[in-house]
């Protein structure tokens, strides 16, 4: 699964192409009941190795897209990626991402709750300075990491189901990121909304 957005988005600009692709992804990414069940069944196997998958996912991410390390202050200067396989901080972050995936899978039957979850995560990623370009990368590396775990259970149909889910979730996160970007721009453009420093100084 490739990234739907090329180029690094800034906090203040999004091209029309970005918005069009985000809308297209959201409109196209509808999982069938059969795909939802396939994802849930496969997750029952994957969740037994979530710590392992989280580590593999991010080590692969840094191998294939080394620029992603810039988002992670703790890892940006690490040259020996093998050292990261035993890194506590990376393990913890991997587990947080896997927890988000687990929550997403659990909400596939509750689209409103899934949308709220993913949009909120996109908003928080604005403040992490993690632009939308990276979201699909994580989905692609997750898929690569779980194939060996699922072994013969892995099929082209299952891969398509997971790709569709990640495409949809990434589009929602992108929406949240853009919403928060717009909100911050509006705050910056409205000095009256900011506290008067002369009145707040002690």
């Amino acid at each position: 699964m490739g990234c739907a957005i090329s180029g690094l988005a800034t906090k203040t600009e999004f091209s029309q192409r970005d918005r069009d692709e985000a809308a297209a992804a959201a409109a196209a990414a509808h999982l069938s009941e059969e795909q939802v069940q396939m994802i849930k069944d496969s997750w029952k196997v994957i969740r037994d190795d979530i710590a392992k998958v989280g580590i593999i996912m991010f080590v692969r991410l840094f191998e294939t897209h080394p620029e992603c390390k810039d988002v992670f202050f703790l890892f940006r200067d690490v040259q020996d990626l093998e050292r990261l396989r035993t890194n506590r901080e990376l393990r913890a972050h991997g587990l947080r991402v896997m927890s988000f995936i687990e929550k997403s899978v659990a909400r596939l039957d509750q689209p409103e709750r899934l949308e709220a979850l993913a949009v909120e995560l996109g908003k928080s990623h604005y403040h992490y300075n993690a632009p939308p370009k990276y979201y699909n990368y994580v989905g692609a590396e997750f898929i690569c990491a779980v194939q060996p775990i699922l072994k013969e259970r892995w099929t082209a149909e299952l891969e398509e189901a997971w790709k569709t889910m990640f495409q949809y979730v990434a589009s929602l996160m992108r929406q949240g990121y853009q919403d928060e970007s717009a909100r911050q721009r509006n705050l910056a453009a409205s000095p009256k909304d900011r506290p008067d420093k002369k009145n707040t100084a002690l």
Side-chain angles (χ1 to χ4, degrees), residues 138-179:
V138 174
E141 299 309 335
F142 171 87
I143 286 173
C144 290
V146 301
Q147 287 185 36
I149 293 172
L150 290 167
K151 299 177 182 177
E152 70 278 357
R153 296 183 182 88
W154 189 259
T155 64
E157 291 76 18
L158 180 57
E159 179 173 351
E160 186 60 31
W162 275 107
K163 283 182 178 181
T164 302
M165 191 196 93
F166 275 111
Q167 180 188 40
Y168 180 54
V169 169
S171 72
L172 292 172
M173 288 182 62
R174 190 178 300 115
Q175 175 189 326
Y177 185 101
Q178 294 178 359
D179 288 348

Side-chain angles (χ1 to χ4, degrees), residues 23-170:
H30 292 295
L31 288 162
S32 67
E33 290 184 10
E34 182 181 3
Q35 286 178 313
V36 169
Q37 193 58 51
M38 289 169 62
I39 290 173
K40 290 188 173 186
D41 289 344
S42 64
W43 180 257
K44 293 176 184 177
V45 179
I46 296 167
R47 68 184 177 191
D48 292 334
D49 289 295
I50 57 173
K52 176 182 177 182
V53 172
I55 288 287
I56 293 172
M57 182 170 60
F58 277 96
V59 171
R60 283 185 53 91
L61 178 67
F62 295 154
E63 286 175 343
T64 55
H65 301 284
E67 71 276 12
C68 291
K69 286 196 298 179
D70 292 340
V71 176
F72 299 90
F73 176 77
L74 292 172
F75 315 130
R76 64 179 57 169
D77 295 323
V78 175
Q79 300 301 320
D80 183 5
L81 295 180
E82 287 302 311
R83 286 174 49 203
L84 289 178
R85 294 184 184 276
T86 57
N87 185 283
R88 290 182 181 179
E89 288 80 9
L90 186 62
R91 175 187 172 89
H93 186 73
L95 284 172
R96 285 194 293 272
V97 173
M98 294 300 288
S99 175
F100 168 76
I101 294 172
E102 183 171 38
K103 291 175 183 176
S104 298
V105 171
R107 287 163 172 76
L108 286 175
D109 298 320
Q110 303 165 296
E112 290 183 359
R113 292 186 67 200
L114 175 56
E115 179 178 351
L117 177 74
V119 168
E120 192 61 34
L121 187 66
K123 290 180 180 179
S124 67
H125 275 61
Y126 171 88
H127 296 285
Y128 300 150
N129 197 26
K133 174 184 178 179
Y134 298 140
Y135 305 162
N136 281 2
Y137 294 170
V138 174
E141 299 309 335
F142 171 87
I143 286 173
C144 290
V146 301
Q147 287 185 36
I149 293 172
L150 290 167
K151 299 177 182 177
E152 70 278 357
R153 296 183 182 88
W154 189 259
T155 64
E157 291 76 18
L158 180 57
E159 179 173 351
E160 186 60 31
W162 275 107
K163 283 182 178 181
T164 302
M165 191 196 93
F166 275 111
Q167 180 188 40
Y168 180 54
V169 169

Side-chain angles (χ1 to χ4, degrees), residues 179-191 193-194:
D179 288 348
E180 185 62 13
S181 174
R183 190 179 79 88
Q184 293 296 327
R185 287 201 306 273
N186 289 337
L187 287 175
S190 304
D193 294 333
R194 298 197 299 268

